[in-house]
Amino acid sequence: MRNAVAVPAVPAPDPPGEPEAPARRRRARDDRGIAWLFLVPVLTGFAVFYLYPTIRGVWYSVTDYSLLNTPSFVGADNYAELVSDAKFWGSLRVTAYYVVLNIGSQTLLALGLAALMHRLTRSVVVRATLLLPWLVPNVTVALLWMWLLDANLGFVNHLLSAVGLPTTGFLRSPDFAMPSIALINTWAYTGYTALLLYAGMLQIPQHLYESASLDGAGELRMFRRITLPLLRPILALVLVVSLIGSFQIFDTVAVTTKGDPVGATRVIYYYIYQQAFTYFHMGYAAAAAMVLVVILGVLTAVQMRLLRASRSDLT
């Protein structure tokens, strides 16, 4: 029997039209270089406007910086003072109250508007109209509503008087000031939030609603059993963005009430502003800002986990 002769394996040629392997690797390296080149402006902006200020803020939070002196290291003294600062904790309570009012009213109204647009009309005019309040600068919105809610000349009080209801100074009352500010921002942002939710609803397959309708399900049941479960990732995004934005409220308070009456609208951002630019306690204000960052990070992580934002029922 003759011994078998080993035949050297011949590499299979590349498919016609395909570049050789070294050429493909070289082109991939070139593409990565171009990608990094395009990322340079974004990374530069992030480093200059976010990373560097954050590092400076962390440094200032452990100093006694006051804009008038050279910062000197004081360790955790600012944080220890925050623990016993009743005004700081009061501003957090006021902010939490605002967050509940604003997110609750805004989300419910936005869900209702988005559902109506999704099931009844998809008019571009309606969508553009809903977006108009969001396009108006916050300072302008605050000034507009400050005049509308004025105790003496405001249209709202004139309307209440015309129908026989008692008038009130909405922005001067400790009981009505914060709900009024929450409603102002709800008016301004509900349209934008509704459009985000509406965009999420458009991703839900229409045949699910048709099948449910054939089975006798009404609009309310379809909303609870189909729309809400499949809208969960978008709803989680909206709630997280609304949460962060609500904790950052400043301009509406600064224009309308300046934290009054008797601290009823002194939210955490306005408190930090007062410490930094009214009392020149920059180090102390930086420490309060760092605590706010930690609070927002924890709340965002909890919210994302509870809502299972990374998973969708839509497959």
Side-chain angles (χ1 to χ4, degrees):
M1 182 175 179
R2 301 173 62 181
N3 293 331
V5 179
V7 179
V10 179
D14 290 336
E18 288 289 330
E20 295 182 357
R24 287 200 298 271
R25 287 195 294 269
R26 188 161 53 249
R27 187 178 62 185
R29 285 196 295 269
D30 293 342
D31 290 346
R32 287 194 295 269
I34 293 174
W36 279 109
L37 183 63
F38 279 106
L39 285 174
V40 165
V42 177
L43 295 176
T44 302
F46 175 80
V48 171
F49 297 108
Y50 289 94
L51 184 59
Y52 175 71
T54 300
I55 295 173
R56 293 275 291 189
V58 173
W59 161 244
Y60 285 147
S61 71
V62 293
T63 68
D64 61 353
Y65 186 42
S66 66
L67 284 180
L68 305 176
N69 67 325
T70 302
S72 58
F73 182 75
V74 296
D77 288 357
N78 290 326
Y79 294 96
E81 188 176 348
L82 279 176
V83 173
S84 58
D85 188 349
K87 289 186 177 180
F88 170 74
W89 294 108
S91 67
L92 281 178
R93 284 194 297 272
V94 170
T95 306
Y97 178 45
Y98 166 79
V99 168
V100 171
L101 291 175
N102 184 56
I103 292 183
S105 59
Q106 187 180 140
T107 304
L108 290 176
L109 287 174
L111 269 174
L113 289 173
L116 288 175
M117 285 192 295
H118 183 236
R119 303 299 294 162
L120 297 179
T121 178
R122 299 189 180 185
S123 170
V124 176
V125 176
V126 173
R127 280 179 275 170
T129 304
L130 285 175
L131 197 60
L132 283 177
W134 180 74
L135 297 175
V136 180
N138 289 338
V139 173
T140 305
V141 170
L143 286 171
L144 172 66
W145 279 99
M146 184 175 65
W147 295 330
L148 288 173
L149 297 175
D150 185 82
N152 300 315
L153 304 175
F155 173 77
V156 174
N157 274 309
H158 277 289
L159 187 61
L160 291 175
S161 179
V163 298
L165 295 176
T167 61
T168 184
F170 290 96
L171 296 173
R172 298 179 184 177
S173 167
D175 296 326
F176 291 106
M178 184 51 74
S180 299
I181 290 175
L183 289 177
I184 290 172
N185 285 331
T186 296
W187 176 84
Y189 290 99
T190 294
Y192 175 72
T193 305
L195 288 181
L196 291 178
L197 295 173
Y198 172 71
M201 291 178 184
L202 291 179
Q203 306 304 313
I204 301 175
Q206 189 65 27
H207 68 83
L208 297 177
Y209 293 102
E210 295 171 356
S211 301
S213 179
L214 291 174
D215 290 338
E219 291 292 335
L220 184 59
R221 187 174 182 182
M222 286 191 288
F223 180 77
R224 289 189 293 107
R225 297 298 181 88
I226 299 175
T227 304
L228 280 181
L230 298 182
L231 195 64
R232 188 177 61 242
I234 302 298
L235 188 58
L237 169 67
V238 167
L239 289 175
V240 169
V241 171
S242 299
L243 176 73
I244 296 173
S246 297
F247 266 91
Q248 292 177 334
I249 178 179
F250 171 78
D251 35 23
T252 306
V253 171
V255 170
T256 56
T257 63
K258 296 180 173 58
D260 291 325
V262 294
T265 60
R266 187 172 54 224
V267 292
I268 184 63
Y269 249 52
Y270 195 77
Y271 175 79
I272 293 172
Y273 165 80
Q274 284 183 318
Q275 292 297 320
F277 299 106
T278 302
Y279 309 122
F280 300 110
H281 299 159
M282 294 293 294
Y284 190 69
M290 292 300 108
V291 172
L292 178 60
V293 169
V294 173
I295 292 174
L296 285 176
V298 171
L299 289 177
T300 300
V302 170
Q303 198 172 31
M304 295 287 282
R305 185 172 182 83
L306 290 177
L307 292 170
R308 296 179 296 160
S310 60
R311 284 177 280 174
S312 173
D313 295 332
L314 185 59
T315 57

